[in-house]
Amino acid sequence: MKITKICGLLTAAVLCATSVNVMNISENGLTASADEWCFAGETCEPLHDTSRDVQTEGVGNPLNFGERNTPADASTAEIRAINHKMTVQEVKYALYKEIDEHWDLISTRLGQTDREKMYALFLGLGSRESTLGEGKIGSDHETAYEDGWGVNSAHAYGTLQTAVTAFKDCDPKFMPEDNVPEMFQYSFTESNFYDCIISNHMGIRKILHFAEICIDEQDMHDYQVVRNSLKGFNTGWCTKAEDDGAYATYADEICAMAQFYYYEGHLYDNVFTWTSANGDKINKYRTADRWDWWGDGVPSMAPIEEKQQAETTTTTSITTTTTTTTTTAETTTTTTSSSTTTSSITTVSETTTTSSTTSTTTPEMQEKPVYGDANCDDIIDMSDAVLIMQSLANPNKYGVSGSDSKHITDKGLANADVDVSSKGLTTNDALRIQEFLLHKIQSLEPVIDG
């Protein structure tokens, strides 16, 4: 057992020591009692607007997390110090930010339409891997680093303990995880590895890496996809085990802890539980049929597509009527003995002319693209590559007509299309921007061979 998890149990013991049968109610909220030695931390109000429809909108990123939690040029010590100060509640909302951002993709691959169940699943995973920071270390949790930087494939960091193998450009002897093109794959640098938001992003991506294998290569269905994806996250192999013993202390324990958060009302506060916690509030979820909770959704590799913006053509018909009056003098002369009479007859004729005008509404003419500047902030950096991946993975939120205020625009689409090997916006555009930032290529100007 990890030392930090032992410390977590000791912390809970101290919290519970003053009461044997009665819950402790401190000024800050609820803590565990001795006979309910299965959770710790404090209850508190949610950080998000509780009038939101979480199932369709998510929690809305109330802490305004960006694509990074820390400045890209900060030192490793500075990055870890920021992560270290996070509360359990902040750790939870940092996970939800990434789940919401890639909701369409995650829900499709794992076969789950209940967003709060997905929140709970990743809280269970975070509890199994880092005890959600135990209210003491935030997301600043690192393991298997003794062999050196990125040497051990188990070297991991963050709430989900995302291993180095999840990152692009890690040791080439590690099995590549390049089968989730819908989510950006960050390069293995200290700045990326230790940032808690990027760590969450890559941890979720790693789960989806194994989900794709479970669906396409192992022909798995229903809850077995997520169950074996968790097994793969832990062991590196997601093949179905012959007996349940391979799942008991990891995937199945994560499922039980997920139900604790989901049913006991601790999705949005500072309360946390841990592996092997003992008490009725967690033991009642450790049942043989615990995965029935996940439901009967169908995990799928269905594509997550960008919505296309239709061109509007308007035809307007204008009818013009011109009236022309022509006077013809016809003279009739009648001669009598007393007088001569002259009469004039006026003839009126109408000429009708009809004309049609057709106007076509198309996107405004763009000035010369600033290649690579997807978010149109006049700076080419990693946020541009991330926005491309967001718009592809979650077009309802980040596409051209997306609901998020920072969604990609028509101008951004033109700027972002830097890869000539494929038409329109693809993951290759994000990859090319990353290569530019790593100085692997000198320019983002599209170059067509020949």
Side-chain angles (χ1 to χ4, degrees), residues 161-173:
Q161 286 295 276
T162 303
V164 300
T165 53
F167 290 82
K168 182 179 172 62
D169 301 325
C170 63
D171 193 320
K173 72 174 180 286

Side-chain angles (χ1 to χ4, degrees), residues 187-204:
S187 290
F188 183 51
T189 66
E190 289 194 34
S191 177
N192 291 336
F193 182 72
Y194 289 110
D195 185 273
C196 78
I197 295 296
I198 292 178
S199 179
N200 288 342
H201 173 99
M202 296 304 290
I204 293 170

Side-chain angles (χ1 to χ4, degrees), residues 70 73-83 140 142 149 157 189-195:
T70 54
D73 59 353
S75 69
T76 297
E78 290 170 331
I79 292 172
R80 297 191 65 170
I82 293 171
N83 296 339
D140 182 33
E142 184 175 19
W149 167 250
Y157 184 80
T189 66
E190 289 194 34
S191 177
N192 291 336
F193 182 72
Y194 289 110
D195 185 273

